[in-house]
Amino acid sequence: EPEVTQTPSHQVTQMGQEVILRCVPISNHLYFYWYRQILGQKVEFLVSFYNNEISEKSEIFDDQFSVERPDGSNFTLKIRSTKLEDSAMYFCARGGTTQETQYFGPGTRLLVL
Amino acid sequence: GEDVEQSLFLSVREGDSSVINCTYTDSSSTYLYWYKQEPGAGLQLLTYIFSNMDMKQDQRLTVLLNKKDKHLSLRIADTQTGDSAIYFCAESNSDSNSGYALNFGKGTSLLVTP
């Protein structure tokens, strides 16, 4: 099954700035996920999105984070006011034809200075 | 939260079999997965197993699950240099309303030497 695509591949931002990470294009899928991987650490679940609503979120996914699917296709992760510790690789994943499978995009590497 | 543990590093010679081990603590895990990550790339789903199975084979890959001991292994037969990557074990606890959030281990770096 094809993986999702993500943009940008890399982003450098100043602390306190807002960033928007995107999964594009996506159609006809119900489940979407965001994960992050801080350098040298394990991949961590952030949030799952089902039928255009957040279905589950982790402790990491605080008020600084939001997700939406604004045009019914792109799936975005917004970080409102970035912190140094938000520097990580952010992966989008979509559910497969069976609910238990997830297919990951190549990731966006975010660096907060 | 629940833990997923893996050894950090494994080195094998080309042509040998590799066995990557994983233990988990969540007794209600429904599915267990193996993902592969090559340098600079995303996570590639290699294979997964439902918790009521004890073995799954897919070409060179064999997954063994010991549910009693909460132990999962991935065997790669005839390991090639292209198999060098980080292998992540993951588990999910299915909930039809919430999807299948994956809980990952820290990954095992597999190095295949000629």
Side-chain angles (χ1 to χ4, degrees), chain B residues 29-42:
Chain B
S29 294
T30 309
Y31 291 94
L32 295 123
Y33 306 79
W34 286 103
Y35 279 83
K36 176 183 180 182
Q37 186 180 35
E38 296 183 69

Side-chain angles (χ1 to χ4, degrees), chain B residues 8-69:
Chain B
L8 292 181
F9 186 74
L10 176 66
S11 179
V12 299
R13 288 191 179 276
E14 191 174 20
D16 289 349
S17 292
S18 307
V19 179
I20 303 172
N21 295 300
C22 172
T23 58
Y24 59 98
T25 60
D26 187 355
S27 58
S28 55
S29 294
T30 309
Y31 291 94
L32 295 123
Y33 306 79
W34 286 103
Y35 279 83
K36 176 183 180 182
Q37 186 180 35
E38 296 183 69
L43 297 161
Q44 176 193 355
L45 177 61
L46 285 179
T47 186
Y48 68 102
I49 189 168
F50 186 48
S51 59
N52 69 351
M53 298 171 62
D54 52 21
M55 188 182 88
K56 182 177 180 180
Q57 186 155 2
D58 183 2
Q59 299 182 338
R60 292 191 297 123
L61 305 179
T62 303
V63 178
L64 295 178
L65 174 60
N66 182 327
K67 194 173 181 180
K68 174 176 170 291
D69 294 339

Side-chain angles (χ1 to χ4, degrees), chain A residues 31 33 45 48-50 55-56, chain B residues 95-101:
Chain A
Y31 283 102
Y33 306 82
F45 168 73
S48 60
F49 195 76
Y50 170 67
S55 55
E56 186 179 3
Chain B
D95 179 333
S96 61
N97 294 323
S98 302
Y100 291 77

